[in-house]
Amino acid sequence: MLITNLVLLMSSKVDYDKYGQYLDSFFLKEEANIIVTCISKYYKELARDYVEWEELEAFISTKYPRMTGDLKVKISNLIQEVRSLPNLDHEIVKDVLKRHLLLYLSTESDKGLDDLDSIDLDVILGEIQEYKQIVTPEVTSIESWEDMLIDSVASGGTPWSINCLNRSLGYRTGGELIFIGARPDAGKTTFLAQEASNHAQNGKYVHWFNNEEADVRVVRRLIQATLNVDNHKIDKDVKSVLSEFYGKVDKRIELINTSSHTFEDLAYMVREGDLVIFDQLSKVDPGAIGKKVSEIDRLHHLAKLARRLATEKKATVISTIWADASAEGEAWIEQNQLYGVKTAWQGEADAIITMGRTHDPSTHNTRFVYIPKNKLNGYVEKERNGKYNISIEPEIARITDGY
């Protein structure tokens, strides 16, 4: 109903010119995206003021001659649904447009969403127009490159808590999408808890989107990683331990269960420069893409959403991935042993970290960290695809290395 009303609104050139440029393609189904894109070309090339639906459907076929049969059917069905609507539902349209406009305004102008939630749709549109009038395109000239480089050095970024990753990946400066793959109970949660604590103690915010572990287990890991205490110490004096924990990280770590949220809901919570942890991204509801798409399309869409979130919010986004059964007991886990590798969704990642463990009793507290993919700038070039032995103390959620 949301999509059909939105497409119906676009059937008037006046309304399309007013709102069409602000629709966010990431939150439209593929068939709706194609229709809206072709409506734009339809108005320009055929000089129409309103859509003639049969003519538009034929127009779409000329623009997408190699379209699959299934997609043709989806587009045809959506057009029929739009044509069957008795009237435009203005309340539904206002609600969905408001979300698209707010997202556009927040990502383009850095205005927060909280103070705009109750504002009228036309007021939000006015805010956008005002912003567009005062902003000028940013041109990066050669003369500014020196300043850019100096600023990047000065900003420094946030170091990883284990130095081997600084050597291979460099400091986290925002805009990165990183996957970490491992078998169950290899130490992914311990690693993430230590990084989250480290980020928060550097005065920055962390959003931990959880759908993998019990929330209480994540909370314990975060406390252990921050205070280096075991569960016995936590259970003995919960209030005192929490007081000490908040003294170090304040309330800069937010734990959110993703079970009742779409990706769009979660993205609204993120601010510039945050550390965003998905445990796991593959289990997040992608939202408007729909629930009947293939698993390949769903994962690829999620990866693109995560990439966009990292880029637009200048956030570091880290997601866990399962390693398949072939990685059980292996020290060095390769990229082709990770879940979803055939979908190519990992192609969106800037780096992939794998963490292996063997069944050898002598390496019980050793984990084997490998960087099979790395597009980032580390400090030791020959370690771009480094392999490192690290030590783990799971009872206090502590990981160390010798670098």
Side-chain angles (χ1 to χ4, degrees):
M1 186 63 73
L2 291 175
I3 299 299
T4 52
N5 274 275
L6 193 60
V7 173
L8 181 57
L9 180 70
M10 297 297 107
S11 66
S12 160
K13 187 175 185 300
V14 171
D15 287 325
Y16 181 87
D17 289 344
K18 187 175 182 180
Y19 299 113
Q21 62 187 303
Y22 306 118
L23 297 185
D24 194 316
S25 62
F26 280 89
F27 300 115
L28 295 176
K29 294 180 181 179
E30 184 180 15
E31 59 268 30
N33 247 325
I34 290 174
I35 291 172
V36 171
T37 299
C38 284
I39 284 176
S40 173
K41 297 176 181 178
Y42 175 86
Y43 286 140
K44 290 177 182 177
E45 295 180 23
L46 302 185
R48 303 287 192 258
D49 291 322
Y50 295 93
V51 168
E52 293 289 341
W53 292 109
E54 290 182 3
E55 184 180 51
L56 176 66
E57 195 164 354
F59 183 81
I60 292 172
S61 296
T62 66
K63 295 299 180 183
Y64 293 86
R66 297 183 180 180
M67 186 187 304
T68 64
D70 287 346
L71 187 53
K72 283 184 180 179
V73 170
K74 289 179 181 179
I75 289 172
S76 181
N77 288 344
L78 180 53
I79 288 176
Q80 290 304 314
E81 289 175 19
V82 173
R83 296 180 69 180
S84 67
L85 285 176
N87 295 294
L88 186 67
D89 190 322
H90 292 281
E91 291 305 312
I92 287 180
V93 167
K94 281 183 180 180
D95 181 65
V96 68
L97 277 177
K98 187 175 178 181
R99 293 178 72 84
H100 281 267
L101 265 63
L102 284 172
L103 182 60
Y104 175 90
L105 185 59
S106 68
T107 55
E108 293 294 323
S109 68
D110 293 328
K111 277 182 173 285
L113 298 180
D114 294 342
D115 58 338
L116 295 172
D117 284 343
S118 61
I119 295 179
D120 183 82
L121 179 63
D122 287 334
V123 175
I124 301 172
L125 191 60
E127 290 261 9
I128 291 175
Q129 298 302 329
E130 181 181 340
Y131 164 72
K132 291 177 73 172
Q133 287 175 8
I134 63 174
V135 72
T136 55
E138 184 177 340
V139 179
T140 303
S141 62
I142 292 178
E143 289 76 14
S144 68
W145 290 2
E146 181 178 352
D147 291 336
M148 289 172 58
L149 289 171
I150 291 172
D151 287 345
S152 70
V153 172
S155 63
T158 304
W160 296 88
S161 62
I162 49 176
N163 198 43
C164 62
L165 294 184
N166 296 320
R167 294 165 66 90
S168 180
L169 306 177
Y171 285 9
R172 300 193 302 269
T173 56
E176 309 99 339
L177 174 60
I178 298 168
F179 291 148
I180 175 167
R183 291 291 293 160
D185 297 321
K188 294 190 300 295
T189 305
T190 294
F191 169 78
L192 293 173
Q194 184 163 300
E195 293 306 328
S197 174
N198 180 56
H199 199 80
Q201 289 186 73
N202 273 277
K204 301 176 183 179
Y205 286 84
V206 179
H207 300 274
W208 188 311
F209 298 130
N210 181 49
N211 52 43
E212 184 63 22
E213 305 274 7
D215 287 348
V216 67
R217 184 176 178 186
V218 176
V219 169
R220 286 180 178 275
R221 281 285 186 254
L222 287 167
I223 294 172
Q224 289 168 345
T226 303
L227 304 181
N228 292 328
V229 296
D230 58 19
N231 278 326
H232 176 72
K233 173 68 173 177
I234 296 172
D235 295 341
K236 187 176 180 180
D237 193 350
V238 171
K239 288 185 178 180
S240 175
V241 166
L242 276 177
S243 177
E244 186 178 355
F245 173 73
Y246 285 131
K248 288 182 176 291
V249 303
D250 198 4
K251 294 187 178 180
R252 289 187 290 270
I253 301 177
E254 297 177 346
L255 176 63
I256 300 101
N257 193 291
T258 69
S259 58
S260 59
H261 297 288
T262 65
F263 189 98
E264 183 181 7
D265 296 330
L266 303 175
Y268 281 151
M269 303 177 191
V270 178
R271 292 153 295 205
E272 184 173 321
D274 290 350
L275 171 61
V276 180
I277 294 170
F278 285 99
D279 191 14
Q280 297 184 19
L281 179 63
S282 63
K283 295 183 179 181
V284 174
D285 179 358
I289 191 175
K291 298 187 181 297
K292 294 185 178 180
V293 297
S294 70
E295 181 67 0
I296 290 176
D297 289 341
R298 192 184 71 83
L299 289 175
H300 209 77
H301 187 67
L302 278 169
K304 286 182 177 296
L305 290 175
R307 154 59 56 212
R308 180 177 177 184
L309 175 63
T311 302
E312 294 191 347
K313 294 297 180 71
K314 297 175 183 171
T316 297
V317 178
I318 302 176
S319 175
T320 59
I321 309 180
W322 287 114
D324 65 31
S326 69
E328 182 63 33
E330 294 289 317
W332 311 111
I333 300 175
E334 298 289 346
Q335 185 174 341
N336 62 8
Q337 294 176 285
L338 301 179
Y339 170 72
V341 66
K342 293 181 180 179
T343 69
W345 77 312
Q346 298 163 23
E348 295 291 335
D350 293 304
I352 294 177
I353 304 168
T354 64
M355 184 182 294
R357 64 179 300 187
T358 72
H359 296 313
D360 183 345
S362 67
T363 63
H364 178 72
N365 288 335
T366 300
R367 298 294 181 268
F368 302 88
V369 170
Y370 173 38
I371 319 294
K373 176 181 179 179
N374 184 8
K375 298 191 293 184
L376 302 176
N377 296 314
Y379 297 126
V380 182
E381 177 59 30
K382 67 180 181 180
E383 295 180 23
R384 175 172 292 275
N385 299 110
K387 291 183 175 181
Y388 310 99
N389 294 3
I390 63 173
S391 299
I392 184 169
E393 298 176 73
E395 64 278 1
I396 59 171
R398 180 178 175 83
I399 292 177
T400 56
D401 66 6
Y403 298 90

